[in-house]
Amino acid sequence: MFHKIEDWDRAYSNASHIHRSDRWPEAWVAPAAAFRDALSAQGRAKLNQPYGEGARQRFDLFLPEGTPRGLFVFVHGGYWHTLDNSYWSHLAAGPLAHGYAVAMPGYTLCPEVRITDIGREIATAIDAAAARIDGPVVLAGHSAGGHLVARVAAQGSALSEATRDRLKLVIPISGLSDLRPFLRLKMNESLRLDPEETLRESPALLHPPEGLRLLCWVGGSERAEFLRQNRLLASVWTGLGAEVAVWEEPDKHHFDICDALADPGHQIHGVYAGA
């Protein structure tokens, strides 16, 4: 009846849990590049827009046909220390089809900076993109990106009040809401988390803003820790007054859960674009 995690590194290792996991991240490269090329040819892709002086402090902005209804921001994962925003460009197809402009920010990776610094960068990137696009703002992020959008949405972040007032929905996808377990992982040699930072940067230990709507979305076939982390943020923020939904999508794992964003017909888009 009792359960205790003995191997923390394995608990957060997604590749070892997924059949043919060696396909990723390469499986995303070609469709992302083709999408950027197509949108650039139409004059609807504004690539590598600076929001700071750092080499990775850039965002790609994809524009719908006609005047945008609002702004959809997608923040990539990679456990805060790998990958970049170029792998996921094609996921903008769904929000674009529903009239939303899509911003995909990059950010400086650990160990060059700390997770606290990345959160500040993402807040600055969102503010910069929001300054260009009117209307409601939807934040989504995958894995470490799910942590970052929840952290940015929480009270006390560097996000401007003007942008915060425009938040319509926050969607952590396989998000990491409590960073304290990472103190036990070998990965922390790169992340350099300390106990104080885990308390300060864990969304599940922070307060949501008034009026926030939160959708915690995770694949039903994901590792137990990702299912727990997903439910944890939903449970805590429900108790703090947020309007919350939890969705464990059947038959999805950590690497294919995001594919729905590229499909304009997927039900996820009705959550923010249907009203």
Side-chain angles (χ1 to χ4, degrees):
M1 294 187 293
F2 298 95
H3 171 67
K4 180 180 180 180
I5 297 174
E6 300 290 351
D7 187 339
W8 286 91
D9 290 302
R10 181 172 174 77
Y12 283 89
S13 174
N14 290 297
S16 63
H17 182 66
I18 297 170
H19 178 61
R20 292 193 60 208
S21 62
D22 57 337
R23 290 181 55 217
W24 291 278
E26 284 302 312
W28 295 316
V29 172
F35 181 87
R36 287 193 302 275
D37 290 345
L39 268 289
S40 295
Q42 298 172 33
R44 294 167 51 204
K46 310 298 181 183
L47 305 179
N48 297 313
Q49 302 297 295
Y51 66 86
E53 297 182 357
R56 284 178 167 260
Q57 293 176 345
R58 303 286 186 271
F59 66 89
D60 291 342
L61 182 65
F62 302 107
L63 301 173
E65 296 180 357
T67 302
R69 295 176 58 189
L71 175 68
F72 188 103
V73 180
F74 178 81
V75 181
H76 75 84
Y79 275 137
W80 306 279
H81 72 150
T82 63
L83 305 179
D84 61 57
N85 58 336
S86 69
Y87 287 85
W88 289 275
S89 304
H90 57 297
L91 300 187
L96 288 175
H98 290 274
Y100 276 71
V102 179
M104 294 191 170
Y107 50 86
T108 311
L109 301 178
C110 298
E112 184 176 346
V113 297
R114 303 182 72 94
I115 289 176
T116 300
D117 303 314
I118 297 174
R120 295 192 187 104
E121 290 189 13
I122 293 301
T124 301
I126 294 169
D127 280 338
R132 299 192 183 195
I133 305 295
D134 294 331
V137 176
V138 177
L139 304 183
H142 176 240
S143 196
H147 158 266
L148 291 167
V149 296
R151 177 63 187 95
V152 164
Q155 291 183 4
S157 80
L159 192 68
S160 71
E161 287 301 317
T163 303
R164 193 183 304 278
D165 289 344
R166 293 168 57 190
L167 288 183
K168 182 175 186 178
L169 180 67
V170 178
I171 313 174
I173 308 167
S174 307
L176 298 161
S177 58
D178 182 358
L179 301 184
R180 290 174 295 181
F182 285 83
L183 295 171
R184 302 170 180 263
L185 271 62
K186 182 175 177 57
M187 185 192 311
N188 199 40
E189 294 175 3
S190 175
L191 304 181
R192 298 183 294 135
L193 283 163
D194 56 42
E196 181 183 0
E197 188 174 23
T198 65
L199 298 179
R200 187 177 65 244
E201 298 301 320
S202 293
L205 305 180
L206 303 172
H207 283 254
E210 292 294 326
L212 181 76
R213 295 181 72 222
L214 175 76
L215 170 57
C216 294
W217 177 22
V218 68
S221 299
E222 297 209 40
R223 307 231 67 168
E225 272 297 274
F226 282 88
L227 295 170
R228 184 187 68 82
Q229 291 256 6
N230 191 66
R231 297 167 188 153
L232 177 64
L233 182 63
S235 178
V236 172
W237 280 18
T238 295
L240 296 174
E243 183 180 353
V244 175
V246 179
W247 187 19
E248 296 180 4
E249 186 171 3
D251 303 320
K252 293 295 183 180
H253 58 63
H254 191 74
F255 294 153
D256 66 3
I257 183 66
C258 292
D259 291 349
L261 293 179
D263 177 8
H266 193 278
Q267 65 196 87
I268 187 63
H269 302 294
V271 179
Y272 64 89

PDB file of all heavy atoms in Angstrom, residues 118-135:
ATOM      1  N   ILE A 118      15.852  32.578 -15.649  1.00  0.00           N
ATOM      2  CA  ILE A 118      15.056  32.196 -16.811  1.00  0.00           C
ATOM      3  C   ILE A 118      13.625  32.700 -16.661  1.00  0.00           C
ATOM      4  O   ILE A 118      13.022  33.196 -17.622  1.00  0.00           O
ATOM      5  CB  ILE A 118      15.071  30.669 -16.998  1.00  0.00           C
ATOM      6  CG1 ILE A 118      16.492  30.177 -17.288  1.00  0.00           C
ATOM      7  CG2 ILE A 118      14.140  30.258 -18.137  1.00  0.00           C
ATOM      8  CD1 ILE A 118      16.634  28.666 -17.339  1.00  0.00           C
ATOM      9  N   GLY A 119      13.069  32.588 -15.470  1.00  0.00           N
ATOM     10  CA  GLY A 119      11.722  33.097 -15.229  1.00  0.00           C
ATOM     11  C   GLY A 119      11.609  34.583 -15.539  1.00  0.00           C
ATOM     12  O   GLY A 119      10.611  35.032 -16.131  1.00  0.00           O
ATOM     13  N   ARG A 120      12.616  35.340 -15.171  1.00  0.00           N
ATOM     14  CA  ARG A 120      12.606  36.782 -15.465  1.00  0.00           C
ATOM     15  C   ARG A 120      12.687  37.018 -16.975  1.00  0.00           C
ATOM     16  O   ARG A 120      12.036  37.914 -17.518  1.00  0.00           O
ATOM     17  CB  ARG A 120      13.764  37.474 -14.754  1.00  0.00           C
ATOM     18  CG  ARG A 120      13.675  37.457 -13.227  1.00  0.00           C
ATOM     19  CD  ARG A 120      14.690  38.406 -12.623  1.00  0.00           C
ATOM     20  NE  ARG A 120      14.745  38.292 -11.181  1.00  0.00           N
ATOM     21  CZ  ARG A 120      15.714  37.674 -10.493  1.00  0.00           C
ATOM     22  NH1 ARG A 120      16.724  37.116 -11.155  1.00  0.00           N
ATOM     23  NH2 ARG A 120      15.695  37.612  -9.185  1.00  0.00           N
ATOM     24  N   GLU A 121      13.513  36.225 -17.657  1.00  0.00           N
ATOM     25  CA  GLU A 121      13.615  36.371 -19.110  1.00  0.00           C
ATOM     26  C   GLU A 121      12.271  36.097 -19.783  1.00  0.00           C
ATOM     27  O   GLU A 121      11.857  36.839 -20.692  1.00  0.00           O
ATOM     28  CB  GLU A 121      14.683  35.419 -19.659  1.00  0.00           C
ATOM     29  CG  GLU A 121      16.107  35.803 -19.291  1.00  0.00           C
ATOM     30  CD  GLU A 121      17.144  34.962 -20.020  1.00  0.00           C
ATOM     31  OE1 GLU A 121      16.775  34.249 -20.984  1.00  0.00           O
ATOM     32  OE2 GLU A 121      18.327  35.023 -19.635  1.00  0.00           O
ATOM     33  N   ILE A 122      11.606  35.036 -19.359  1.00  0.00           N
ATOM     34  CA  ILE A 122      10.316  34.695 -19.969  1.00  0.00           C
ATOM     35  C   ILE A 122       9.291  35.788 -19.721  1.00  0.00           C
ATOM     36  O   ILE A 122       8.506  36.147 -20.612  1.00  0.00           O
ATOM     37  CB  ILE A 122       9.816  33.337 -19.451  1.00  0.00           C
ATOM     38  CG1 ILE A 122      10.730  32.216 -19.950  1.00  0.00           C
ATOM     39  CG2 ILE A 122       8.379  33.077 -19.885  1.00  0.00           C
ATOM     40  CD1 ILE A 122      10.825  32.104 -21.452  1.00  0.00           C
ATOM     41  N   ALA A 123       9.277  36.351 -18.534  1.00  0.00           N
ATOM     42  CA  ALA A 123       8.356  37.462 -18.253  1.00  0.00           C
ATOM     43  C   ALA A 123       8.628  38.637 -19.189  1.00  0.00           C
ATOM     44  O   ALA A 123       7.695  39.247 -19.729  1.00  0.00           O
ATOM     45  CB  ALA A 123       8.486  37.892 -16.795  1.00  0.00           C
ATOM     46  N   THR A 124       9.901  38.948 -19.393  1.00  0.00           N
ATOM     47  CA  THR A 124      10.265  40.045 -20.291  1.00  0.00           C
ATOM     48  C   THR A 124       9.857  39.741 -21.721  1.00  0.00           C
ATOM     49  O   THR A 124       9.339  40.610 -22.444  1.00  0.00           O
ATOM     50  CB  THR A 124      11.781  40.297 -20.228  1.00  0.00           C
ATOM     51  OG1 THR A 124      12.157  40.612 -18.879  1.00  0.00           O
ATOM     52  CG2 THR A 124      12.185  41.449 -21.138  1.00  0.00           C
ATOM     53  N   ALA A 125      10.054  38.488 -22.145  1.00  0.00           N
ATOM     54  CA  ALA A 125       9.674  38.095 -23.507  1.00  0.00           C
ATOM     55  C   ALA A 125       8.172  38.199 -23.713  1.00  0.00           C
ATOM     56  O   ALA A 125       7.709  38.679 -24.760  1.00  0.00           O
ATOM     57  CB  ALA A 125      10.152  36.672 -23.782  1.00  0.00           C
ATOM     58  N   ILE A 126       7.399  37.751 -22.739  1.00  0.00           N
ATOM     59  CA  ILE A 126       5.938  37.818 -22.861  1.00  0.00           C
ATOM     60  C   ILE A 126       5.484  39.272 -22.934  1.00  0.00           C
ATOM     61  O   ILE A 126       4.626  39.633 -23.748  1.00  0.00           O
ATOM     62  CB  ILE A 126       5.273  37.082 -21.686  1.00  0.00           C
ATOM     63  CG1 ILE A 126       5.574  35.589 -21.764  1.00  0.00           C
ATOM     64  CG2 ILE A 126       3.762  37.332 -21.683  1.00  0.00           C
ATOM     65  CD1 ILE A 126       5.175  34.823 -20.518  1.00  0.00           C
ATOM     66  N   ASP A 127       6.044  40.116 -22.087  1.00  0.00           N
ATOM     67  CA  ASP A 127       5.699  41.537 -22.131  1.00  0.00           C
ATOM     68  C   ASP A 127       6.035  42.136 -23.498  1.00  0.00           C
ATOM     69  O   ASP A 127       5.253  42.929 -24.051  1.00  0.00           O
ATOM     70  CB  ASP A 127       6.453  42.297 -21.039  1.00  0.00           C
ATOM     71  CG  ASP A 127       5.817  42.161 -19.673  1.00  0.00           C
ATOM     72  OD1 ASP A 127       4.619  41.857 -19.592  1.00  0.00           O
ATOM     73  OD2 ASP A 127       6.525  42.367 -18.665  1.00  0.00           O
ATOM     74  N   ALA A 128       7.191  41.765 -24.051  1.00  0.00           N
ATOM     75  CA  ALA A 128       7.598  42.317 -25.345  1.00  0.00           C
ATOM     76  C   ALA A 128       6.648  41.871 -26.457  1.00  0.00           C
ATOM     77  O   ALA A 128       6.266  42.667 -27.322  1.00  0.00           O
ATOM     78  CB  ALA A 128       9.027  41.884 -25.668  1.00  0.00           C
ATOM     79  N   ALA A 129       6.250  40.609 -26.426  1.00  0.00           N
ATOM     80  CA  ALA A 129       5.319  40.123 -27.446  1.00  0.00           C
ATOM     81  C   ALA A 129       3.939  40.738 -27.258  1.00  0.00           C
ATOM     82  O   ALA A 129       3.270  41.108 -28.237  1.00  0.00           O
ATOM     83  CB  ALA A 129       5.236  38.598 -27.386  1.00  0.00           C
ATOM     84  N   ALA A 130       3.506  40.864 -26.002  1.00  0.00           N
ATOM     85  CA  ALA A 130       2.186  41.435 -25.722  1.00  0.00           C
ATOM     86  C   ALA A 130       2.100  42.899 -26.135  1.00  0.00           C
ATOM     87  O   ALA A 130       1.013  43.395 -26.446  1.00  0.00           O
ATOM     88  CB  ALA A 130       1.856  41.276 -24.243  1.00  0.00           C
ATOM     89  N   ALA A 131       3.234  43.588 -26.126  1.00  0.00           N
ATOM     90  CA  ALA A 131       3.243  44.988 -26.559  1.00  0.00           C
ATOM     91  C   ALA A 131       2.948  45.116 -28.055  1.00  0.00           C
ATOM     92  O   ALA A 131       2.528  46.177 -28.518  1.00  0.00           O
ATOM     93  CB  ALA A 131       4.589  45.620 -26.229  1.00  0.00           C
ATOM     94  N   ARG A 132       3.152  44.048 -28.802  1.00  0.00           N
ATOM     95  CA  ARG A 132       2.921  44.083 -30.248  1.00  0.00           C
ATOM     96  C   ARG A 132       1.525  43.602 -30.641  1.00  0.00           C
ATOM     97  O   ARG A 132       1.060  43.913 -31.750  1.00  0.00           O
ATOM     98  CB  ARG A 132       3.943  43.193 -30.964  1.00  0.00           C
ATOM     99  CG  ARG A 132       5.381  43.603 -30.769  1.00  0.00           C
ATOM    100  CD  ARG A 132       6.250  42.840 -31.736  1.00  0.00           C
ATOM    101  NE  ARG A 132       7.659  43.128 -31.563  1.00  0.00           N
ATOM    102  CZ  ARG A 132       8.592  42.828 -32.451  1.00  0.00           C
ATOM    103  NH1 ARG A 132       8.238  42.236 -33.584  1.00  0.00           N
ATOM    104  NH2 ARG A 132       9.856  43.094 -32.224  1.00  0.00           N
ATOM    105  N   ILE A 133       0.901  42.802 -29.781  1.00  0.00           N
ATOM    106  CA  ILE A 133      -0.364  42.159 -30.135  1.00  0.00           C
ATOM    107  C   ILE A 133      -1.417  42.525 -29.106  1.00  0.00           C
ATOM    108  O   ILE A 133      -1.220  42.312 -27.897  1.00  0.00           O
ATOM    109  CB  ILE A 133      -0.212  40.619 -30.181  1.00  0.00           C
ATOM    110  CG1 ILE A 133       0.911  40.207 -31.135  1.00  0.00           C
ATOM    111  CG2 ILE A 133      -1.535  39.969 -30.558  1.00  0.00           C
ATOM    112  CD1 ILE A 133       0.656  40.556 -32.588  1.00  0.00           C
ATOM    113  N   ASP A 134      -2.533  43.066 -29.552  1.00  0.00           N
ATOM    114  CA  ASP A 134      -3.630  43.416 -28.652  1.00  0.00           C
ATOM    115  C   ASP A 134      -4.464  42.179 -28.318  1.00  0.00           C
ATOM    116  O   ASP A 134      -4.369  41.144 -28.974  1.00  0.00           O
ATOM    117  CB  ASP A 134      -4.526  44.463 -29.306  1.00  0.00           C
ATOM    118  CG  ASP A 134      -3.816  45.795 -29.502  1.00  0.00           C
ATOM    119  OD1 ASP A 134      -2.913  46.102 -28.694  1.00  0.00           O
ATOM    120  OD2 ASP A 134      -4.162  46.515 -30.462  1.00  0.00           O
ATOM    121  N   GLY A 135      -5.308  42.329 -27.295  1.00  0.00           N
ATOM    122  CA  GLY A 135      -6.263  41.272 -26.963  1.00  0.00           C
ATOM    123  C   GLY A 135      -5.800  40.386 -25.832  1.00  0.00           C
ATOM    124  O   GLY A 135      -4.770  40.632 -25.201  1.00  0.00           O
TER     125      GLY A 135
END
